[in-house]
PDB file of all heavy atoms in Angstrom:
ATOM      1  N   GLU A 271      90.908 109.509 100.239  1.00 98.00           N
ATOM      2  CA  GLU A 271      89.463 109.313 100.268  1.00 98.00           C
ATOM      3  C   GLU A 271      89.020 108.184  99.351  1.00 98.00           C
ATOM      4  O   GLU A 271      88.126 107.403  99.697  1.00 98.00           O
ATOM      5  CB  GLU A 271      88.744 110.605  99.881  1.00 98.00           C
ATOM      6  CG  GLU A 271      88.768 111.676 100.942  1.00 98.00           C
ATOM      7  CD  GLU A 271      87.935 112.890 100.555  1.00 98.00           C
ATOM      8  OE1 GLU A 271      87.219 112.820  99.519  1.00 98.00           O
ATOM      9  OE2 GLU A 271      87.974 113.899 101.288  1.00 98.00           O
ATOM     10  N   ARG A 272      89.632 108.086  98.166  1.00 98.00           N
ATOM     11  CA  ARG A 272      89.211 107.090  97.187  1.00 98.00           C
ATOM     12  C   ARG A 272      90.058 105.820  97.209  1.00 98.00           C
ATOM     13  O   ARG A 272      89.776 104.891  96.466  1.00 98.00           O
ATOM     14  CB  ARG A 272      89.233 107.698  95.776  1.00 98.00           C
ATOM     15  CG  ARG A 272      88.208 108.794  95.514  1.00 98.00           C
ATOM     16  CD  ARG A 272      86.811 108.426  96.021  1.00 98.00           C
ATOM     17  NE  ARG A 272      86.431 107.083  95.657  1.00 98.00           N
ATOM     18  CZ  ARG A 272      85.637 106.767  94.641  1.00 98.00           C
ATOM     19  NH1 ARG A 272      85.113 107.732  93.906  1.00 98.00           N
ATOM     20  NH2 ARG A 272      85.329 105.514  94.383  1.00 98.00           N
ATOM     21  N   ASN A 273      91.067 105.805  98.072  1.00 98.00           N
ATOM     22  CA  ASN A 273      91.979 104.649  98.136  1.00 98.00           C
ATOM     23  C   ASN A 273      92.470 104.293  96.736  1.00 98.00           C
ATOM     24  O   ASN A 273      92.454 103.129  96.318  1.00 98.00           O
ATOM     25  CB  ASN A 273      91.295 103.448  98.776  1.00 98.00           C
ATOM     26  CG  ASN A 273      92.279 102.333  99.121  1.00 98.00           C
ATOM     27  OD1 ASN A 273      93.436 102.589  99.433  1.00 98.00           O
ATOM     28  ND2 ASN A 273      91.822 101.085  99.038  1.00 98.00           N
ATOM     29  N   ALA A 274      92.915 105.301  96.018  1.00 98.00           N
ATOM     30  CA  ALA A 274      93.392 105.142  94.638  1.00 98.00           C
ATOM     31  C   ALA A 274      94.521 106.131  94.397  1.00 98.00           C
ATOM     32  O   ALA A 274      94.597 107.182  95.037  1.00 98.00           O
ATOM     33  CB  ALA A 274      92.261 105.394  93.647  1.00 98.00           C
ATOM     34  N   VAL A 275      95.398 105.800  93.452  1.00 98.00           N
ATOM     35  CA  VAL A 275      96.415 106.754  93.028  1.00 98.00           C
ATOM     36  C   VAL A 275      95.746 107.864  92.225  1.00 98.00           C
ATOM     37  O   VAL A 275      94.869 107.611  91.400  1.00 98.00           O
ATOM     38  CB  VAL A 275      97.494 106.065  92.173  1.00 98.00           C
ATOM     39  CG1 VAL A 275      98.399 107.089  91.496  1.00 98.00           C
ATOM     40  CG2 VAL A 275      98.323 105.116  93.030  1.00 98.00           C
ATOM     41  N   VAL A 276      96.144 109.097  92.466  1.00 99.00           N
ATOM     42  CA  VAL A 276      95.690 110.246  91.685  1.00 99.00           C
ATOM     43  C   VAL A 276      96.901 110.843  90.991  1.00 99.00           C
ATOM     44  O   VAL A 276      97.927 111.116  91.637  1.00 99.00           O
ATOM     45  CB  VAL A 276      95.013 111.306  92.576  1.00 99.00           C
ATOM     46  CG1 VAL A 276      94.609 112.519  91.746  1.00 99.00           C
ATOM     47  CG2 VAL A 276      93.793 110.716  93.290  1.00 99.00           C
ATOM     48  N   MET A 277      96.811 111.044  89.674  1.00 98.00           N
ATOM     49  CA  MET A 277      97.925 111.640  88.940  1.00 98.00           C
ATOM     50  C   MET A 277      97.430 112.760  88.031  1.00 98.00           C
ATOM     51  O   MET A 277      96.320 112.716  87.489  1.00 98.00           O
ATOM     52  CB  MET A 277      98.678 110.604  88.114  1.00 98.00           C
ATOM     53  CG  MET A 277      97.889 109.953  87.007  1.00 98.00           C
ATOM     54  SD  MET A 277      98.935 109.139  85.736  1.00 98.00           S
ATOM     55  CE  MET A 277      99.589 110.562  84.860  1.00 98.00           C
ATOM     56  N   GLY A 278      98.252 113.774  87.888  1.00 98.00           N
ATOM     57  CA  GLY A 278      97.988 114.900  86.995  1.00 98.00           C
ATOM     58  C   GLY A 278      99.171 115.830  87.092  1.00 98.00           C
ATOM     59  O   GLY A 278     100.006 115.691  87.999  1.00 98.00           O
ATOM     60  N   SER A 279      99.292 116.787  86.166  1.00 98.00           N
ATOM     61  CA  SER A 279     100.435 117.706  86.252  1.00 98.00           C
ATOM     62  C   SER A 279      99.977 119.092  86.664  1.00 98.00           C
ATOM     63  O   SER A 279      98.839 119.500  86.414  1.00 98.00           O
ATOM     64  CB  SER A 279     101.206 117.764  84.929  1.00 98.00           C
ATOM     65  OG  SER A 279     100.739 118.776  84.074  1.00 98.00           O
ATOM     66  N   LEU A 280     100.893 119.799  87.328  1.00 98.00           N
ATOM     67  CA  LEU A 280     100.655 121.180  87.727  1.00 98.00           C
ATOM     68  C   LEU A 280     101.985 121.923  87.705  1.00 98.00           C
ATOM     69  O   LEU A 280     103.049 121.321  87.544  1.00 98.00           O
ATOM     70  CB  LEU A 280     100.002 121.256  89.107  1.00 98.00           C
ATOM     71  CG  LEU A 280     100.698 120.638  90.307  1.00 98.00           C
ATOM     72  CD1 LEU A 280     100.261 121.362  91.584  1.00 98.00           C
ATOM     73  CD2 LEU A 280     100.336 119.170  90.430  1.00 98.00           C
ATOM     74  N   ILE A 281     101.902 123.226  87.841  1.00 98.00           N
ATOM     75  CA  ILE A 281     103.096 124.070  87.794  1.00 98.00           C
ATOM     76  C   ILE A 281     103.733 124.086  89.186  1.00 98.00           C
ATOM     77  O   ILE A 281     103.115 124.519  90.154  1.00 98.00           O
ATOM     78  CB  ILE A 281     102.748 125.493  87.350  1.00 98.00           C
ATOM     79  CG1 ILE A 281     102.058 125.477  85.985  1.00 98.00           C
ATOM     80  CG2 ILE A 281     104.002 126.364  87.301  1.00 98.00           C
ATOM     81  CD1 ILE A 281     101.450 126.822  85.589  1.00 98.00           C
ATOM     82  N   ILE A 282     104.974 123.621  89.255  1.00 98.00           N
ATOM     83  CA  ILE A 282     105.692 123.526  90.533  1.00 98.00           C
ATOM     84  C   ILE A 282     106.962 124.361  90.462  1.00 98.00           C
ATOM     85  O   ILE A 282     107.681 124.351  89.454  1.00 98.00           O
ATOM     86  CB  ILE A 282     106.054 122.059  90.845  1.00 98.00           C
ATOM     87  CG1 ILE A 282     104.795 121.241  91.132  1.00 98.00           C
ATOM     88  CG2 ILE A 282     107.036 121.969  92.007  1.00 98.00           C
ATOM     89  CD1 ILE A 282     104.087 121.594  92.430  1.00 98.00           C
ATOM     90  N   THR A 283     107.248 125.075  91.540  1.00 98.00           N
ATOM     91  CA  THR A 283     108.520 125.783  91.664  1.00 98.00           C
ATOM     92  C   THR A 283     109.399 125.060  92.667  1.00 98.00           C
ATOM     93  O   THR A 283     108.929 124.622  93.719  1.00 98.00           O
ATOM     94  CB  THR A 283     108.320 127.252  92.094  1.00 98.00           C
ATOM     95  OG1 THR A 283     109.595 127.898  92.180  1.00 98.00           O
ATOM     96  CG2 THR A 283     107.590 127.372  93.415  1.00 98.00           C
ATOM     97  N   GLU A 284     110.683 124.935  92.322  1.00 97.00           N
ATOM     98  CA  GLU A 284     111.623 124.214  93.173  1.00 97.00           C
ATOM     99  C   GLU A 284     113.033 124.676  92.838  1.00 97.00           C
ATOM    100  O   GLU A 284     113.422 124.695  91.670  1.00 97.00           O
ATOM    101  CB  GLU A 284     111.476 122.709  92.938  1.00 97.00           C
ATOM    102  CG  GLU A 284     112.223 121.831  93.914  1.00 97.00           C
ATOM    103  CD  GLU A 284     111.870 120.364  93.714  1.00 97.00           C
ATOM    104  OE1 GLU A 284     112.360 119.770  92.728  1.00 97.00           O
ATOM    105  OE2 GLU A 284     111.094 119.832  94.523  1.00 97.00           O
ATOM    106  N   ASN A 285     113.764 125.084  93.842  1.00 95.00           N
ATOM    107  CA  ASN A 285     115.159 125.522  93.678  1.00 95.00           C
ATOM    108  C   ASN A 285     115.309 126.600  92.609  1.00 95.00           C
ATOM    109  O   ASN A 285     116.272 126.607  91.831  1.00 95.00           O
ATOM    110  CB  ASN A 285     116.051 124.319  93.333  1.00 95.00           C
ATOM    111  CG  ASN A 285     116.049 123.269  94.427  1.00 95.00           C
ATOM    112  OD1 ASN A 285     116.008 123.589  95.607  1.00 95.00           O
ATOM    113  ND2 ASN A 285     116.073 122.003  94.027  1.00 95.00           N
ATOM    114  N   GLY A 286     114.360 127.513  92.561  1.00 95.00           N
ATOM    115  CA  GLY A 286     114.429 128.629  91.633  1.00 95.00           C
ATOM    116  C   GLY A 286     113.999 128.317  90.214  1.00 95.00           C
ATOM    117  O   GLY A 286     114.077 129.179  89.335  1.00 95.00           O
ATOM    118  N   ASN A 287     113.551 127.089  89.960  1.00 98.00           N
ATOM    119  CA  ASN A 287     113.096 126.679  88.631  1.00 98.00           C
ATOM    120  C   ASN A 287     111.598 126.385  88.653  1.00 98.00           C
ATOM    121  O   ASN A 287     111.008 126.156  89.701  1.00 98.00           O
ATOM    122  CB  ASN A 287     113.849 125.424  88.167  1.00 98.00           C
ATOM    123  CG  ASN A 287     115.335 125.665  88.012  1.00 98.00           C
ATOM    124  OD1 ASN A 287     115.757 126.674  87.448  1.00 98.00           O
ATOM    125  ND2 ASN A 287     116.134 124.745  88.516  1.00 98.00           N
ATOM    126  N   TYR A 288     111.009 126.370  87.447  1.00 98.00           N
ATOM    127  CA  TYR A 288     109.604 126.028  87.291  1.00 98.00           C
ATOM    128  C   TYR A 288     109.501 124.765  86.449  1.00 98.00           C
ATOM    129  O   TYR A 288     110.212 124.609  85.457  1.00 98.00           O
ATOM    130  CB  TYR A 288     108.840 127.169  86.609  1.00 98.00           C
ATOM    131  CG  TYR A 288     108.875 128.467  87.382  1.00 98.00           C
ATOM    132  CD1 TYR A 288     109.687 129.526  86.957  1.00 98.00           C
ATOM    133  CD2 TYR A 288     108.133 128.623  88.546  1.00 98.00           C
ATOM    134  CE1 TYR A 288     109.726 130.707  87.668  1.00 98.00           C
ATOM    135  CE2 TYR A 288     108.178 129.808  89.268  1.00 98.00           C
ATOM    136  CZ  TYR A 288     108.976 130.841  88.825  1.00 98.00           C
ATOM    137  OH  TYR A 288     109.029 132.011  89.539  1.00 98.00           O
ATOM    138  N   TYR A 289     108.599 123.875  86.874  1.00 98.00           N
ATOM    139  CA  TYR A 289     108.436 122.600  86.193  1.00 98.00           C
ATOM    140  C   TYR A 289     106.968 122.330  85.874  1.00 98.00           C
ATOM    141  O   TYR A 289     106.076 122.678  86.658  1.00 98.00           O
ATOM    142  CB  TYR A 289     108.954 121.450  87.077  1.00 98.00           C
ATOM    143  CG  TYR A 289     110.419 121.547  87.419  1.00 98.00           C
ATOM    144  CD1 TYR A 289     110.836 122.167  88.601  1.00 98.00           C
ATOM    145  CD2 TYR A 289     111.392 121.037  86.562  1.00 98.00           C
ATOM    146  CE1 TYR A 289     112.180 122.264  88.928  1.00 98.00           C
ATOM    147  CE2 TYR A 289     112.743 121.128  86.875  1.00 98.00           C
ATOM    148  CZ  TYR A 289     113.133 121.744  88.055  1.00 98.00           C
ATOM    149  OH  TYR A 289     114.459 121.844  88.357  1.00 98.00           O
ATOM    150  N   ASN A 290     106.747 121.713  84.716  1.00 98.00           N
ATOM    151  CA  ASN A 290     105.447 121.125  84.392  1.00 98.00           C
ATOM    152  C   ASN A 290     105.537 119.694  84.923  1.00 98.00           C
ATOM    153  O   ASN A 290     106.058 118.806  84.263  1.00 98.00           O
ATOM    154  CB  ASN A 290     105.212 121.157  82.882  1.00 98.00           C
ATOM    155  CG  ASN A 290     103.837 120.646  82.489  1.00 98.00           C
ATOM    156  OD1 ASN A 290     103.114 120.056  83.284  1.00 98.00           O
ATOM    157  ND2 ASN A 290     103.482 120.874  81.228  1.00 98.00           N
ATOM    158  N   ARG A 291     105.037 119.484  86.136  1.00 98.00           N
ATOM    159  CA  ARG A 291     105.353 118.276  86.897  1.00 98.00           C
ATOM    160  C   ARG A 291     104.137 117.382  87.112  1.00 98.00           C
ATOM    161  O   ARG A 291     103.113 117.827  87.646  1.00 98.00           O
ATOM    162  CB  ARG A 291     105.956 118.654  88.243  1.00 98.00           C
ATOM    163  CG  ARG A 291     106.224 117.486  89.187  1.00 98.00           C
ATOM    164  CD  ARG A 291     107.038 117.915  90.396  1.00 98.00           C
ATOM    165  NE  ARG A 291     108.413 118.275  90.009  1.00 98.00           N
ATOM    166  CZ  ARG A 291     109.326 118.710  90.863  1.00 98.00           C
ATOM    167  NH1 ARG A 291     109.027 118.823  92.164  1.00 98.00           N
ATOM    168  NH2 ARG A 291     110.546 119.020  90.448  1.00 98.00           N
ATOM    169  N   ILE A 292     104.280 116.122  86.726  1.00 98.00           N
ATOM    170  CA  ILE A 292     103.297 115.108  87.098  1.00 98.00           C
ATOM    171  C   ILE A 292     103.529 114.726  88.551  1.00 98.00           C
ATOM    172  O   ILE A 292     104.649 114.444  88.961  1.00 98.00           O
ATOM    173  CB  ILE A 292     103.415 113.846  86.223  1.00 98.00           C
ATOM    174  CG1 ILE A 292     102.836 114.089  84.823  1.00 98.00           C
ATOM    175  CG2 ILE A 292     102.677 112.670  86.873  1.00 98.00           C
ATOM    176  CD1 ILE A 292     102.917 112.878  83.904  1.00 98.00           C
ATOM    177  N   ILE A 293     102.444 114.727  89.308  1.00 98.00           N
ATOM    178  CA  ILE A 293     102.458 114.193  90.664  1.00 98.00           C
ATOM    179  C   ILE A 293     101.749 112.839  90.640  1.00 98.00           C
ATOM    180  O   ILE A 293     100.615 112.740  90.156  1.00 98.00           O
ATOM    181  CB  ILE A 293     101.752 115.130  91.655  1.00 98.00           C
ATOM    182  CG1 ILE A 293     102.392 116.533  91.629  1.00 98.00           C
ATOM    183  CG2 ILE A 293     101.757 114.545  93.062  1.00 98.00           C
ATOM    184  CD1 ILE A 293     103.822 116.580  92.089  1.00 98.00           C
ATOM    185  N   TRP A 294     102.414 111.832  91.143  1.00 98.00           N
ATOM    186  CA  TRP A 294     101.841 110.486  91.278  1.00 98.00           C
ATOM    187  C   TRP A 294     101.595 110.275  92.767  1.00 98.00           C
ATOM    188  O   TRP A 294     102.510 109.971  93.532  1.00 98.00           O
ATOM    189  CB  TRP A 294     102.813 109.455  90.709  1.00 98.00           C
ATOM    190  CG  TRP A 294     102.397 108.026  90.841  1.00 98.00           C
ATOM    191  CD1 TRP A 294     102.636 107.196  91.904  1.00 98.00           C
ATOM    192  CD2 TRP A 294     101.676 107.239  89.878  1.00 98.00           C
ATOM    193  NE1 TRP A 294     102.113 105.950  91.667  1.00 98.00           N
ATOM    194  CE2 TRP A 294     101.524 105.950  90.426  1.00 98.00           C
ATOM    195  CE3 TRP A 294     101.162 107.511  88.609  1.00 98.00           C
ATOM    196  CZ2 TRP A 294     100.867 104.927  89.743  1.00 98.00           C
ATOM    197  CZ3 TRP A 294     100.514 106.491  87.935  1.00 98.00           C
ATOM    198  CH2 TRP A 294     100.374 105.222  88.486  1.00 98.00           C
ATOM    199  N   MET A 295     100.347 110.506  93.200  1.00 98.00           N
ATOM    200  CA  MET A 295     100.021 110.507  94.616  1.00 98.00           C
ATOM    201  C   MET A 295      99.348 109.199  95.023  1.00 98.00           C
ATOM    202  O   MET A 295      98.308 108.832  94.487  1.00 98.00           O
ATOM    203  CB  MET A 295      99.093 111.685  94.932  1.00 98.00           C
ATOM    204  CG  MET A 295      98.717 111.792  96.403  1.00 98.00           C
ATOM    205  SD  MET A 295     100.125 112.122  97.492  1.00 98.00           S
ATOM    206  CE  MET A 295     100.462 113.844  97.058  1.00 98.00           C
ATOM    207  N   ARG A 296      99.944 108.515  95.993  1.00 98.00           N
ATOM    208  CA  ARG A 296      99.405 107.251  96.484  1.00 98.00           C
ATOM    209  C   ARG A 296      98.440 107.487  97.651  1.00 98.00           C
ATOM    210  O   ARG A 296      98.521 108.518  98.339  1.00 98.00           O
ATOM    211  CB  ARG A 296     100.539 106.342  96.928  1.00 98.00           C
ATOM    212  CG  ARG A 296     101.571 106.020  95.854  1.00 98.00           C
ATOM    213  CD  ARG A 296     102.594 105.023  96.386  1.00 98.00           C
ATOM    214  NE  ARG A 296     103.635 104.739  95.401  1.00 98.00           N
ATOM    215  CZ  ARG A 296     104.797 105.395  95.326  1.00 98.00           C
ATOM    216  NH1 ARG A 296     105.061 106.378  96.182  1.00 98.00           N
ATOM    217  NH2 ARG A 296     105.688 105.072  94.408  1.00 98.00           N
ATOM    218  N   PRO A 297      97.576 106.510  97.923  1.00 98.00           N
ATOM    219  CA  PRO A 297      96.640 106.655  99.045  1.00 98.00           C
ATOM    220  C   PRO A 297      97.311 106.806 100.401  1.00 98.00           C
ATOM    221  O   PRO A 297      96.722 107.392 101.316  1.00 98.00           O
ATOM    222  CB  PRO A 297      95.816 105.354  98.980  1.00 98.00           C
ATOM    223  CG  PRO A 297      95.929 104.893  97.576  1.00 98.00           C
ATOM    224  CD  PRO A 297      97.293 105.310  97.116  1.00 98.00           C
ATOM    225  N   ASP A 298      98.531 106.287 100.543  1.00 98.00           N
ATOM    226  CA  ASP A 298      99.217 106.404 101.832  1.00 98.00           C
ATOM    227  C   ASP A 298      99.919 107.742 102.000  1.00 98.00           C
ATOM    228  O   ASP A 298     100.597 107.975 103.009  1.00 98.00           O
ATOM    229  CB  ASP A 298     100.197 105.244 102.035  1.00 98.00           C
ATOM    230  CG  ASP A 298     101.365 105.260 101.045  1.00 98.00           C
ATOM    231  OD1 ASP A 298     101.460 106.194 100.221  1.00 98.00           O
ATOM    232  OD2 ASP A 298     102.196 104.319 101.087  1.00 98.00           O
ATOM    233  N   GLY A 299      99.771 108.639 101.014  1.00 98.00           N
ATOM    234  CA  GLY A 299     100.342 109.974 101.117  1.00 98.00           C
ATOM    235  C   GLY A 299     101.730 110.116 100.536  1.00 98.00           C
ATOM    236  O   GLY A 299     102.245 111.244 100.420  1.00 98.00           O
ATOM    237  N   THR A 300     102.366 109.011 100.157  1.00 98.00           N
ATOM    238  CA  THR A 300     103.665 109.105  99.499  1.00 98.00           C
ATOM    239  C   THR A 300     103.468 109.417  98.023  1.00 98.00           C
ATOM    240  O   THR A 300     102.394 109.173  97.459  1.00 98.00           O
ATOM    241  CB  THR A 300     104.468 107.804  99.650  1.00 98.00           C
ATOM    242  OG1 THR A 300     103.771 106.730  98.994  1.00 98.00           O
ATOM    243  CG2 THR A 300     104.670 107.466 101.119  1.00 98.00           C
ATOM    244  N   LEU A 301     104.492 109.968  97.393  1.00 98.00           N
ATOM    245  CA  LEU A 301     104.354 110.367  95.997  1.00 98.00           C
ATOM    246  C   LEU A 301     105.648 110.197  95.229  1.00 98.00           C
ATOM    247  O   LEU A 301     106.726 110.095  95.804  1.00 98.00           O
ATOM    248  CB  LEU A 301     103.856 111.816  95.902  1.00 98.00           C
ATOM    249  CG  LEU A 301     104.754 112.941  96.464  1.00 98.00           C
ATOM    250  CD1 LEU A 301     105.805 113.399  95.467  1.00 98.00           C
ATOM    251  CD2 LEU A 301     103.906 114.124  96.898  1.00 98.00           C
TER     252      LEU A 301
END
């Protein structure tokens, strides 16, 4: 919507582990 990268961290679970993970989200949907 803003044609800008959005970044912040959230709690993510992956392969049985939990991470305090920064997501770097691009306008084209890749991260």
